[in-house]
């Protein structure tokens, strides 16, 4: 059954493209024509120590990829394909893999461990490989086994624990796994075994709930982990600290007896160990902060639940803060220029920020002496560290504590934007943006910015935005939050109005700079421009924003004619078009928000639409998203006049609705259908057959990402509202889809937070669909919905009794209840008669603090009251 495939595997890695392609074709043919033979041949190749390492390595990779994939649909297909094989055949492959763990070539054992875990992820939940754990443990307990076998076995145990759920093993198996892993961390073992064991423990910690509840077992595990954190080898120490980070978040409530030891361990690592180890030691304290911030949120929300809050950060504060402050002085020379860099200084500052959020005001007297001692020193590291420390503690302490300090420091920080060192300027700009984000809210009467200091702030920011790209990017952030603070505070907005033209000019000039190596600065400048426009006082700034419109349109027009010689050029064109479409969207929304300036958009709409259509013709998915969103805004602004653009635009809308691969584009396209429905009302009718057909096809597809489906149901409601009684012909197709989705909601795994959130989106969208259809039929064909009313009421009842529902779902449920009573009137009297949940729901909602929910409930109560005098 097996075939000799060594030559094919080696040829598939040949530098000669022709040889490589021929080998890949032969391997693919073998796989398609005889899958069991193909898998067996790969397993034999991997397990044979006489074969070349290169062919064994590729055999393992192909074998692993034959069992698992990132894409959920492909993954399920591979799972079904594996389990369809004969049990004895599968056992043969599994035996070969288990034997490969003992290979004298460590890489082969390592690869076999990964493949074993992939098979385990399929078979253990199905109870089809019950002997795996005992087989692996046998390798650990037998005397005189080579350390390479122990290492590969521990890797396999770790990968298995990573792949399966803690519910898939019985407690005896968990105990045995933990015993083997912890013993593998023993100081008497070789370093490679200790590293594999520590990594395996990290993956197995979720399984250890019962063991951590047992004091004796917990003490032993903690003792071994702490000993391993002092191993001679840095990679072993790092792995042990990674375990401690995980323990901090998973088993916070039982850490009290170990905290003295853990503080000493982490402090020593931070002060003197290699950076990789020290970073994990800081991460331990960041995890403790995360836990305590969450506990404080529970206490604030007064949920009634009791959680042990040991206040470790508060107790360690006087020692922890100085340790973190010291790390701030360990900057890298080039840390501001490189994206994704993570060093001791950044980790320390991040942790310091979390400590500030955890303890509030108590951190200020511990940090300010460090700031004052270092802020004026000749060494740039001292000045930057002092500024970073100050910026890091701005969230957590009270405004009363911070505001006087920040007011007195503001002048100093503005001067520091002229510092000779770019690191200092970078961190100062970041600190200013934090001040404006957290301590600038004129609407509440609380702001460190006054009419007196605003002029200097603007002047310094507009000068500093000309600085090096990484400093300019942070300055954009400061302008962003400065503008955002004035949002919704109309009298306060006017304070910024005198500077608006200069700010806009500077941001456009910044976006056009050619000295930045990447597009981050351009993105930051345009995103800040969007916020400045969005938060401006339109009555005072309409002329400035009106003048900005043709400038942005001209820039977008110039992108159409850019010379495209490579895929890189195409990508850059697409990114720039996306940013400019985003600016146009904000300008359209702003100018169309009041009657006085709406006419400006009306006059420019034809030219704007021509530009958007040209952008679509460039065929870039990112542009599709931004241009689609902008077209949604234009439809809203132009109302029924948008109909003239539909013949030309429709083909792009159709392409968007069929774009399964880039599902975000599909989601946005569905949203734009809703925008156009609201703009055109019954003028939408000629396009509805095709659109509804595409939406129904999208819902039926197994390939489309699930996140697109809720917006589609909401869109049904938008279409029904727009075309009213004409929606009748879609009811036989839409209703089964809505009922099917309701059944999916009932099967959501309540232990999966992501699925619970998706379930809530789906429920809300189904209610929105029903609401739109009921309102659309209300004046002529309401009786069409009578057969569907019992199902809807049952669905509402199930949803409102669900403990995991969110407020928006309740609001949508109450609204559709009112729409049902409003549209069907006396026809539903009998249905409402025995529904006690209905009156209970309304009573609950009428007592809510959510004004919108209370208002909806009052209206629904009135609608049901019209059906009969007393509900339920």
């Amino acid at each position: 059954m097996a075939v000799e495939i060594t030559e094919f595997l080696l040829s598939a890695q040949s530098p000669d493209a022709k040889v490589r392609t021929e080998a890949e074709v032969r391997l693919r043919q073998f796989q398609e024509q005889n899958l069991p033979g193909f898998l067996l041949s790969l397993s034999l190749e991997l397990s044979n120590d006489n074969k070349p390492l290169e062919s064994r390595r590729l055999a393992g990779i192909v074998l692993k990829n034959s069992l698992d994939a990132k894409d959920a649909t492909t993954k399920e297909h591979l799972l079904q394909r594996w389990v369809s094989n004969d049990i004895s055949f599968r056992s043969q492959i599994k035996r070969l893999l288990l034997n490969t763990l003992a290979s004298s070539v460590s890489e082969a054992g390592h690869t076999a461990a990964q493949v074993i875990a992939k098979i385990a992820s399929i078979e253990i939940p199905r109870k089809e490989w019950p002997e795996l754990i005992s087989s692996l443990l046998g390798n650990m307990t037998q005397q005189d086994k080579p350390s390479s076998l122990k290492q590969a076995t521990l890797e396999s145990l770790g990968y298995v624990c990573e792949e399966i759920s803690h519910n898939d093993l019985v407690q005896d198996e968990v105990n045995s796994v933990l015993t083997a892993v912890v013993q593998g961390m023993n100081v008497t073992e070789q370093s490679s075994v200790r590293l594999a064991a520590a990594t395996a423990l990290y993956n197995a910690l979720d399984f250890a709930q019962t063991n951590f509840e047992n004091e004796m077992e917990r003490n032993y595990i903690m003792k071994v982990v702490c000993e391993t954190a002092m191993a001679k080898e840095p990679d072993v120490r790092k792995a042990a600290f990674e375990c401690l980070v995980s323990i901090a978040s998973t088993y916070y409530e039982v850490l009290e007896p170990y905290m003295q030891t853990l503080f000493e361990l982490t402090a020593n690592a931070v002060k003197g160990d290699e950076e990789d180890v020290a970073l994990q030691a800081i991460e331990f304290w960041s995890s403790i902060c995360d836990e305590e911030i969450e506990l404080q949120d529970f206490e604030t929300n007064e949920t009634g639940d009791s959680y042990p809050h040991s206040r470790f950060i508060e107790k360690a504060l006087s020692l922890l803060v100085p340790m973190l402050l010291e790390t701030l002085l360990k900057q890298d020379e080039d840390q501001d220029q490189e994206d994704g860099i993570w060093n001791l200084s950044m980790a320390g500052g991040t942790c310091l920020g979390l400590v500030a959020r955890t303890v509030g005001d108590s951190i200020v007297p511990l940090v300010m002496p460090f700031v004052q001692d270092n802020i004026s020193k000749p060494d740039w590291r001292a000045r930057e560290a002092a500024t970073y420390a100050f910026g890091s503690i701005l969230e957590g302490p009270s405004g009363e504590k911070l505001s006087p300090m920040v007011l007195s420091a503001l002048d100093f920080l503005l001067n520091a934007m002229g510092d000779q060192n770019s690191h200092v300027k970078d961190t100062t700009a970041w600190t200013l943006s934090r001040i404006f984000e957290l301590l600038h809210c004129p609407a509440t009467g609380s702001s460190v910015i006054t009419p007196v200091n605003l002029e200097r702030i603007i002047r310094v920011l507009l000068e500093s935005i000309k600085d090096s790209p990484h400093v300019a990017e942070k300055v954009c952030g400061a302008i962003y939050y400065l503008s955002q603070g004035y949002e919704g505070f109309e009298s306060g907005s006017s304070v910024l109005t005198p500077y608006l033209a200069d700010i806009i000019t500077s941001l456009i000039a910044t976006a056009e700079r050619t000295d930045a190596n990447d597009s981050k600065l351009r993105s930051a400048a345009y995103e800040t421009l969007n916020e400045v426009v969005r938060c401006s006082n339109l009555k005072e700034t309409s002329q400035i924003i009106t003048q900005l419109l043709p400038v942005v349109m001209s820039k977008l027009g110039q992108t159409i004619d850019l010379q495209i010689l490579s895929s890189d050029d195409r990508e850059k064109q697409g990114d720039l078009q996306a940013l400019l479409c985003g600016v146009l969207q904000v300008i359209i929304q702003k100018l169309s928000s009041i009657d006085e300036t709406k006419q400006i958009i009306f006059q420019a709409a034809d030219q704007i639409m021509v530009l958007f259509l040209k952008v679509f013709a460039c065929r870039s998915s990112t542009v599709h998203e931004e241009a689609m969103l902008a077209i949604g805004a234009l439809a809203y602004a132009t109302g029924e006049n948008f109909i003239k653009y539909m013949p030309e635009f429709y083909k792009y809308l159709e392409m968007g609705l069929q774009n399964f691969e880039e599902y975000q584009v599909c989601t946005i396209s569905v949203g734009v259908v809703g925008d156009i429905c609201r703009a055109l009302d019954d003028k939408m009718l000629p396009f509805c057959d095709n659109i509804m057909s595409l939406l129904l096809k999208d819902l039926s597809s197994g390939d489309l990402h699930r996140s697109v489906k809720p917006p589609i149901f909401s869109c049904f409601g938008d279409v029904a509202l727009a075309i009213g009684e004409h929606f009748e012909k879609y009811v036989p197709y839409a209703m089964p889809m809505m009922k099917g989705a309701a059944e999916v909601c009932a099967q959501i795994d309540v232990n999966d937070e992501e699925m619970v959130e998706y379930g809530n989106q789906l429920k809300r969208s189904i209610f929105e669909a029903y609401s739109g259809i009921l309102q659309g039929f209300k004046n002529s064909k309401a009786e069409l919905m009578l057969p569907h009313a019992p199902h809807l009421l049952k669905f509402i009842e199930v949803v409102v009794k669900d403990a995991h529902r969110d407020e928006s779902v309740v609001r949508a449920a109450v609204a559709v209840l009112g729409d049902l009573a409003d549209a069907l009137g006396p026809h539903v009297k009998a249905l409402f008669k025995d529904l006690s949940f209905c009156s209970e729901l309304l009573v609950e909602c009428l007592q809510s603090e959510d004004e919108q929910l209370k208002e909806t409930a009052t209206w629904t109560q009135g609608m049901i009251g019209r059906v009969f005098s007393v509900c339920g």
Side-chain angles (χ1 to χ4, degrees):
M1 196 172 175
V3 173
E4 177 64 48
I5 57 170
T6 309
E7 287 309 314
F8 295 144
L9 290 166
L10 292 173
S11 297
Q13 301 171 71
S14 167
D16 184 324
K18 186 171 182 292
V19 172
R20 196 169 62 244
T21 304
E22 281 177 12
E24 286 169 356
V25 168
R26 295 291 293 275
L27 286 169
R28 199 174 303 115
Q29 284 173 344
F30 184 16
Q31 182 179 16
E32 289 166 358
Q33 290 164 11
N34 182 4
L35 181 65
F38 180 69
L39 297 176
L40 184 59
S41 301
L42 291 170
S43 305
L44 285 164
E45 188 78 21
L46 178 60
S47 66
N48 190 338
D49 275 357
N50 296 316
K51 294 290 185 179
L53 176 59
E54 292 78 9
S55 65
R56 297 177 77 186
R57 182 190 295 129
L58 185 56
I61 291 168
V62 175
L63 195 53
K64 191 170 63 159
N65 292 342
S66 300
L67 295 160
D68 190 29
K70 286 182 180 175
D71 177 68
T73 309
T74 311
K75 188 185 181 88
E76 179 62 24
H77 168 68
L78 294 175
L79 181 153
Q80 294 300 335
R81 196 173 71 173
W82 171 257
V83 299
S84 67
N85 286 304
D86 180 68
I87 288 177
S88 61
F89 163 75
R90 284 190 269 156
S91 298
Q92 188 181 359
I93 286 184
K94 291 186 288 190
R95 271 196 307 277
L96 286 167
L97 290 167
L98 288 168
N99 291 340
T100 310
L101 294 176
S103 171
S104 57
V105 181
S106 61
E107 191 175 333
H110 173 76
T111 304
Q114 292 179 306
V115 181
I116 286 166
K118 294 301 179 189
I119 296 175
S121 71
I122 297 172
E123 294 199 353
I124 286 183
R126 300 163 65 94
K127 312 295 182 200
E128 290 178 348
W129 201 357
E131 71 280 9
L132 171 63
I133 299 299
S134 58
S135 299
L136 292 171
L137 294 173
N139 293 342
M140 299 299 297
T141 52
Q142 290 173 32
Q143 294 297 311
D144 304 322
K145 289 287 184 184
S147 61
S148 60
L149 174 60
K150 284 186 177 181
Q151 180 186 342
T153 300
L154 286 164
E155 286 177 350
S156 191
L157 284 167
Y159 290 137
V160 169
C161 290
E162 189 177 17
E163 290 285 344
I164 65 175
S165 159
H166 62 275
N167 298 318
D168 291 329
L169 297 183
V170 297
Q171 190 57 42
D172 283 350
E173 289 177 314
V174 172
N175 294 344
S176 300
V177 169
L178 288 171
T179 301
V181 166
V182 173
Q183 283 176 354
M185 292 168 73
N186 199 297
V187 71
T188 58
E189 296 286 357
Q190 286 192 12
S191 64
S192 59
V193 174
R194 295 185 81 190
L195 177 61
T199 308
L201 178 63
Y202 177 83
N203 288 324
L205 281 168
D206 275 349
F207 295 72
Q209 186 79 44
T210 303
N211 310 83
F212 266 82
E213 287 167 4
N214 180 307
E215 187 181 357
M216 200 165 76
E217 291 182 36
R218 182 173 71 240
N219 285 343
Y220 181 61
I221 294 170
M222 291 300 292
K223 174 177 173 290
V224 172
V225 176
C226 290
E227 284 172 355
T228 310
M230 295 184 287
K232 291 200 299 286
E233 301 80 11
D235 54 352
V236 177
R237 293 198 299 275
K238 180 188 175 211
F241 273 109
E242 285 172 344
C243 289
L244 289 173
V245 171
S246 181
I247 289 167
S249 56
T250 313
Y251 301 111
Y252 168 90
E253 66 279 2
V254 296
L255 284 181
E256 181 84 58
Y258 317 106
M259 286 307 287
Q260 182 62 42
T261 303
L262 292 171
F263 182 84
E264 289 167 12
L265 270 177
T266 51
N268 289 335
V270 171
K271 285 171 188 167
D273 213 325
E274 297 195 12
E275 186 171 70
D276 277 355
V277 182
L279 287 171
Q280 290 304 317
I282 293 173
E283 189 62 29
F284 171 82
W285 289 102
S286 292
S287 288
I288 295 288
C289 287
D290 286 335
E291 291 305 304
E292 297 198 347
I293 290 166
E294 197 173 331
L295 287 167
Q296 282 161 204
D297 288 343
F298 274 121
E299 288 168 6
T300 308
N301 294 338
E302 296 175 357
T303 54
D305 297 321
S306 177
Y307 295 91
H309 189 174
S310 301
R311 306 194 186 280
F312 295 134
I313 299 297
E314 201 175 285
K315 291 170 187 172
L317 199 62
S318 60
L319 297 171
L320 181 59
V321 170
M323 177 182 89
L324 294 172
L325 290 171
E326 282 303 306
T327 67
L328 303 188
L329 293 159
K330 298 179 180 177
Q331 307 97 322
D332 289 338
E333 284 285 354
D334 56 356
Q335 65 183 30
D336 297 326
Q337 277 80 17
E338 290 184 35
D339 277 346
I341 200 167
W342 187 245
N343 58 31
L344 215 52
S345 164
M346 290 175 165
T350 301
C351 188
L352 191 67
L354 289 168
V355 171
R357 287 176 57 199
T358 309
V359 301
D361 289 357
S362 311
I363 199 170
V364 176
L366 292 168
V367 171
M368 286 314 292
F370 176 86
V371 175
Q372 287 152 356
D373 289 349
N374 288 280
I375 197 75
S376 299
K377 282 187 177 175
D379 183 359
W380 73 264
R381 291 179 185 279
R383 299 197 304 278
E384 194 275 339
T387 311
Y388 191 19
F390 188 69
S392 296
I393 63 164
L394 293 173
E395 186 177 7
S398 62
E400 293 77 20
K401 187 83 174 172
L402 288 173
S403 289
M405 250 170 34
V406 170
L407 270 168
S408 61
L410 200 52
D411 201 49
F412 192 96
L413 289 167
L414 292 170
N415 287 334
M417 287 307 297
D419 196 285
Q420 291 181 338
N421 183 275
S422 70
H423 296 290
V424 176
K425 288 187 283 191
D426 186 284
T427 304
T428 303
W430 171 78
T431 300
L432 286 169
S433 76
R434 295 262 294 166
I435 289 169
F436 301 155
E437 179 187 5
L438 300 164
L439 295 163
H440 167 50
C441 188
T444 62
S446 163
S447 178
V448 293
I449 298 174
T450 64
V452 177
N453 62 22
L454 178 62
E455 189 272 334
R456 178 158 187 240
I457 289 169
I458 300 284
R459 184 159 38 83
V460 169
L461 292 176
L462 296 189
E463 187 56 40
S464 300
I465 205 169
K466 300 170 190 169
D467 211 308
S468 58
H470 64 91
V471 174
E473 190 192 327
K474 305 288 193 310
V475 173
C476 285
I479 296 171
Y480 181 100
Y481 288 116
L482 176 68
S483 302
Q484 195 178 74
Y486 292 115
E487 183 184 8
F489 184 56
E490 288 305 307
S491 61
S493 278
S494 59
V495 177
L496 208 55
T497 301
Y499 310 104
L500 199 74
D502 288 343
I503 292 171
I504 287 172
T505 302
S506 291
L507 288 169
I508 288 174
T510 303
E512 290 178 336
R513 280 173 59 164
T514 55
D515 60 338
N517 292 331
D518 57 34
S519 57
K520 273 185 75 183
L521 178 57
R522 178 187 280 164
S523 297
Y526 278 130
E527 282 164 20
T528 303
L529 177 60
N530 290 346
E531 198 64 6
V532 168
V533 170
R534 203 174 62 76
C535 299
S536 64
N537 182 331
L538 185 55
K539 287 183 178 171
E540 295 178 349
T541 61
S542 60
Q543 192 176 354
I544 297 168
I545 295 169
T546 302
Q547 288 166 353
L548 178 61
L549 178 61
V551 173
V552 178
M553 286 170 64
S554 169
K555 289 186 181 304
L556 185 58
Q558 288 162 22
T559 68
I560 311 295
D561 303 321
L562 285 173
Q563 192 175 17
I564 307 298
L565 300 173
S566 65
S567 58
D568 193 38
D569 289 344
R570 174 72 67 201
E571 189 179 341
K572 284 178 180 172
Q573 180 197 44
D575 289 345
L576 180 53
Q577 288 174 341
L579 291 167
L580 290 165
C581 286
V583 179
L584 278 177
Q585 180 193 347
V586 172
I587 294 172
I588 291 165
Q589 287 169 332
K590 190 72 179 179
L591 291 176
S592 60
S593 63
I594 60 173
D595 290 339
E596 293 90 321
T597 52
K598 209 170 191 174
Q599 198 57 38
I600 296 159
I601 298 300
F602 267 65
Q603 289 163 0
D606 287 359
Q607 293 169 277
I608 294 173
M609 197 65 194
V610 166
L611 279 172
F612 288 153
L613 292 171
K614 284 181 178 177
V615 166
F616 275 123
C618 294
R619 297 287 176 87
S620 163
S621 67
T622 50
V623 165
H624 271 306
E625 288 182 47
E626 301 293 341
M628 272 291 178
L629 286 166
I631 282 174
L634 189 66
Y636 177 81
T638 54
E640 61 182 23
N641 290 323
F642 190 83
I643 188 68
K644 64 180 174 179
Y645 308 124
M646 282 300 287
E648 191 65 30
F649 168 60
Y650 179 74
K651 64 182 176 188
Y652 296 112
L653 183 62
E654 198 171 59
M655 278 165 56
L657 293 173
Q658 291 173 306
N659 195 339
F660 286 11
E661 279 186 33
E662 293 156 338
Y663 64 88
Q664 296 94 333
V665 176
C666 193
T667 303
I668 289 165
S669 302
V670 171
V672 169
V673 170
D675 293 333
I676 296 170
C677 284
R678 286 184 285 277
L680 298 184
D681 288 331
D682 59 357
K683 288 185 179 175
M684 187 71 179
L685 197 55
F687 306 95
C688 283
D689 280 359
N690 285 345
I691 285 173
M692 283 300 294
S693 173
L694 288 169
L695 293 177
L696 290 163
K697 190 177 171 187
D698 284 354
L699 284 176
S700 306
S701 168
D703 297 329
L704 184 62
H705 195 275
R706 67 166 188 251
S707 65
V708 187
K709 298 189 177 182
I712 290 175
F713 286 116
S714 300
C715 193
F716 282 177
D718 295 327
V719 173
L721 263 176
I723 63 173
E725 64 183 40
H726 301 290
F727 194 81
E728 178 182 357
K729 62 179 169 180
Y730 308 123
V731 169
Y733 308 101
M735 282 301 146
M737 290 288 191
M738 287 156 65
K739 288 174 183 175
E743 286 167 23
V744 169
C745 293
Q747 294 158 10
I748 294 286
D749 179 1
V750 295
N751 297 313
D752 185 334
E753 282 184 28
E754 201 178 304
M755 285 307 293
V756 168
E757 188 181 339
Y758 172 68
N760 280 326
Q761 290 169 357
L762 198 53
K763 290 166 191 169
R764 185 173 65 245
S765 69
I766 294 166
F767 289 144
E768 286 170 355
Y770 272 112
S771 279
I773 295 167
L774 284 162
Q775 289 174 41
F777 284 155
K778 177 182 164 184
N779 296 325
S780 57
K781 295 185 177 178
E783 68 281 356
L784 286 170
M785 291 302 287
L786 203 52
H788 307 288
H791 174 270
L792 173 57
L793 285 167
K794 186 66 190 166
F795 182 49
I796 295 170
E797 183 176 7
V798 170
V799 168
V800 298
K801 288 180 177 174
D802 178 11
H804 299 278
R805 70 189 192 193
D806 69 16
E807 202 83 330
S808 65
V809 172
V810 177
R811 218 169 18 243
V814 172
V816 78
L817 205 53
D819 287 324
L820 185 66
D822 183 26
L824 296 179
H827 296 298
V828 284
K829 187 172 182 178
L831 288 172
F832 274 113
K833 208 165 191 179
D834 302 314
L835 295 178
S836 58
F837 87 87
C838 169
S839 51
E840 288 165 15
L841 173 65
L842 291 174
V843 168
E844 180 193 325
C845 294
L846 290 166
Q847 292 169 350
S848 168
E849 291 179 8
D850 182 331
E851 286 302 320
Q852 199 180 345
L853 179 56
K854 210 185 285 188
E855 199 177 303
T856 306
T858 305
W859 174 80
T860 295
Q861 194 176 46
M863 290 300 107
I864 295 172
R866 274 169 44 184
V867 175
F868 43 50
S869 54
V870 181
C871 177

